[in-house]
């Protein structure tokens, strides 16, 4: 069975500081990995995804994540936090990218950005 | 283009009442998913459809919950009878291939 663990339910950074949100996964098959962001009272929006190929994936709003198979990790980073980045972030794993795939989500990490 | 449309956005009801949540997926997407989000349990997949056919309903909590997708442009999630522990935000998402597009959710409060 697949699973996702997000380390740290709350992360607080200062504006302009590095953002690092941690995600580790468990999968018996090559995983497909996703990061989603949820702003208050909204649905989830895809930030980036890894399916195959290059292990460093760039997404929207300056975020990127690196797939490290040896560490079973897919951490999300952004060099410089902006106030508008404050939101909840979800890491997710799927066993297949096709239509019948379904995502298993982590518990989420709330990012607070201090001025 | 319109995204995934859910209704109602907010629903307050009393225990024992029937609740029906509605979803219109993005046109052309052939997979549809119902998720539930709570503080305690996070995001849980309830059921998903592929080409209008239910594929996996193992996440449906109990027989009080049912979901239908009569055509490619409409799905419902019904709770009958509702209980206070059903209070949550229910999300519908559709997918063309490997990426989920979420609606804004239906916040359900059962008193």
């Amino acid at each position: 069975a697949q699973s996702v663990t997000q380390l740290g339910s709350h992360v607080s950074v200062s504006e302009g500081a590095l953002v690092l949100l941690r995600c580790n996964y468990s999968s018996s098959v090559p995983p497909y990995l996703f990061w989603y962001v949820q702003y208050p009272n909204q649905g989830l929006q895809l930030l980036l995804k890894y399916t195959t190929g290059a292990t460093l994936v760039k997404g929207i709003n300056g975020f990127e994540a690196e797939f490290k198979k040896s560490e079973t990790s897919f951490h999300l980073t952004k060099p410089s936090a902006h106030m508008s980045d404050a939101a909840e972030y979800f890491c997710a794993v799927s066993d297949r990218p096709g239509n019948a795939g379904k995502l298993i989500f982590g518990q989420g990490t709330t990012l607070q950005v201090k001025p | 283009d319109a995204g995934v449309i859910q209704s109602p956005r907010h629903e307050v009801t009393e225990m024992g009442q029937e609740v029906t949540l509605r979803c219109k997926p993005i046109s052309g997407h052939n997979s549809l998913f119902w998720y539930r989000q709570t503080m305690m349990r996070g995001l849980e997949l309830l059921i998903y459809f592929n080409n209008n056919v239910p594929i996996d309903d193992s996440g449906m909590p109990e027989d009080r919950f049912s979901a239908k997708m009569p055509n490619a442009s409409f799905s419902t999630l019904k709770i009958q009878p509702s209980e206070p522990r059903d209070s949550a935000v229910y999300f519908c998402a559709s997918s063309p291939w490997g990426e989920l597009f979420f609606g804004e959710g239906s916040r359900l409060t059962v008193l």
Side-chain angles (χ1 to χ4, degrees), chain A residues 17-35:
Chain A
L18 171 72
V19 175
L20 171 60
L21 304 182
R22 300 178 187 273
C23 172
N24 287 90
Y25 68 91
S26 173
S27 179
S28 58
V29 298
Y32 299 94
L33 297 160
F34 305 78
W35 275 100

Side-chain angles (χ1 to χ4, degrees), chain B residues 15-58:
Chain B
M15 183 174 63
Q17 296 298 305
E18 178 179 294
V19 174
T20 300
L21 307 178
R22 297 173 177 81
C23 175
K24 177 178 169 57
I26 294 172
S27 177
H29 289 190
N30 57 5
S31 294
L32 183 140
F33 302 76
W34 283 100
Y35 281 87
R36 178 172 68 176
Q37 185 178 38
T38 61
M39 290 292 293
M40 292 297 295
R41 301 175 68 91
L43 274 161
E44 303 173 277
L45 176 64
L46 301 178
I47 185 172
Y48 78 95
F49 297 82
N50 194 36
N51 293 322
N52 312 337
V53 176
I55 302 300
D56 185 350
D57 66 354
S58 59

Side-chain angles (χ1 to χ4, degrees), chain A:
Chain A
Q2 295 180 306
S3 65
V4 172
T5 301
Q6 291 184 238
L7 302 176
S9 59
H10 288 83
V11 170
S12 181
V13 301
S14 298
E15 190 173 21
L18 171 72
V19 175
L20 171 60
L21 304 182
R22 300 178 187 273
C23 172
N24 287 90
Y25 68 91
S26 173
S27 179
S28 58
V29 298
Y32 299 94
L33 297 160
F34 305 78
W35 275 100
Y36 282 83
V37 61
Q38 185 180 28
Y39 299 102
N41 299 315
Q42 294 186 25
L44 281 71
Q45 177 184 0
L46 181 68
L47 272 179
L48 50 79
K49 63 181 177 182
Y50 167 79
T51 53
T52 58
T55 56
L56 181 62
V57 181
K58 295 185 184 297
I60 62 172
N61 302 338
F63 284 93
E64 61 182 36
E66 186 171 10
F67 169 59
K68 291 187 176 181
K69 183 178 179 181
S70 61
E71 299 178 7
T72 61
S73 70
F74 191 58
H75 301 330
L76 182 70
T77 61
K78 181 174 181 178
S80 177
H82 192 273
M83 296 296 291
S84 61
D85 294 327
E88 189 159 18
Y89 292 80
F90 292 91
C91 183
V93 63
S94 172
D95 61 353
R96 44 186 166 165
N99 292 337
K102 59 183 183 181
L103 296 185
I104 306 299
F105 285 89
Q107 287 295 98
T109 298
T110 299
L111 176 65
Q112 179 187 22
V113 182
K114 298 177 292 185

Side-chain angles (χ1 to χ4, degrees), chain B residues 32 34 47 49 54 60 65-70 75-78:
Chain B
L32 183 140
W34 283 100
I47 185 172
F49 297 82
M60 296 286 262
F65 285 70
S66 63
K68 294 182 179 179
M69 192 166 184
S75 177
T76 59
L77 178 67
K78 185 175 293 186

